[in-house]
Amino acid sequence: MDASENAKATAEFGTSGIDAVQELAPRCDDILKSSAPGCVLPYFKLNWTVDTHKFPAPGAYYWYMQQVMPDHAGSKRWDSLMHYLGPDTPLKNSAGNPWNTDNSRARVCDSTWSIHPSDASIGPVDCDEYAMASTHESGGYPNGLNLVTSGSKCAQLFADKMGDGSANFGILADIRTATNGPSVA
């Protein structure tokens, strides 16, 4: 006889009755079209950390954007964590499908911005939007607080060496054209 046939487990996580604080209240469903239905913790607030030793420029960029965005998207300090843009979003794209990460990214990383030249030691450069395209807080998400009509309406920042002969770098405002981002005082 297989021991797993008689094995049973139960857990009581309790509830405060307030949805927003039911971090361990699971929702089991089949929203994701994978091989089998699954369960999620919809009220769990995810914290993720950027390894600023390995990725100093993105870490600095994300921190800066959390400080200056009106909703402080992604900031634990302001209890303004981001919300995943899953396949259950009620908004539709032009093809009638649920709005997705690619739709948000296409709006923010469109042809209205150009890569700022920087030192080759910085590494590859591309459009790195914040808040991320995979969240409801993305500038590309139609009903989001941070909605923009194109990438040209976003803060234009870039990483580059500081020019002092060291390996130091900075997050700098791209002031090649008039933008909606930070400017030189």
Side-chain angles (χ1 to χ4, degrees), residues 8 20 22 37 47 55 81 91 100 103 115 170 180:
K8 293 184 180 182
Q22 295 180 33
N47 273 323
F55 306 105
L81 305 181
L91 297 177
N100 62 44
N103 301 132
I115 294 174
N180 295 305

Side-chain angles (χ1 to χ4, degrees), residues 168-184:
N168 296 334
F169 75 94
I171 302 295
L172 309 167
D174 183 349
I175 55 173
R176 295 177 295 168
T177 60
T179 67
N180 295 305
S183 61
V184 175

Side-chain angles (χ1 to χ4, degrees), residues 15-153:
T15 179
S16 67
I18 302 168
D19 287 347
V21 296
Q22 295 180 33
E23 287 189 347
L24 297 178
R27 180 189 82 216
C28 297
D29 53 33
D30 59 359
I31 289 175
L32 295 178
K33 305 298 184 231
S34 59
S35 59
C39 297
V40 296
L41 300 171
Y43 302 107
F44 180 76
K45 294 180 178 179
L46 178 65
N47 273 323
W48 53 269
T49 303
V50 174
D51 183 343
T52 55
H53 292 288
K54 189 172 182 180
F55 306 105
Y61 167 63
Y62 298 158
W63 176 86
Y64 177 75
M65 294 306 294
Q66 287 175 350
Q67 307 312 304
V68 300
M69 290 178 70
D71 64 347
H72 304 288
S75 175
K76 185 175 180 180
R77 176 181 173 194
W78 280 286
D79 194 28
S80 182
L81 305 181
M82 291 186 269
H83 303 87
Y84 175 67
L85 178 62
D88 57 338
T89 182
L91 297 177
K92 304 292 182 198
N93 60 24
S94 59
N97 298 317
W99 190 269
N100 62 44
T101 299
D102 292 337
N103 301 132
S104 289
R105 188 164 179 73
R107 177 173 287 165
V108 174
C109 296
D110 62 2
S111 63
T112 63
W113 70 277
S114 62
I115 294 174
H116 192 284
S118 58
D119 191 279
S121 66
I122 295 295
V125 179
D126 65 358
C127 176
D128 188 13
E129 77 278 13
Y130 193 89
M132 289 79 167
S134 60
T135 68
H136 285 264
E137 290 72 21
S138 166
Y141 185 67
N143 287 350
L145 177 64
N146 303 310
L147 178 63
V148 295
T149 54
S150 71
S152 66
K153 301 296 180 188

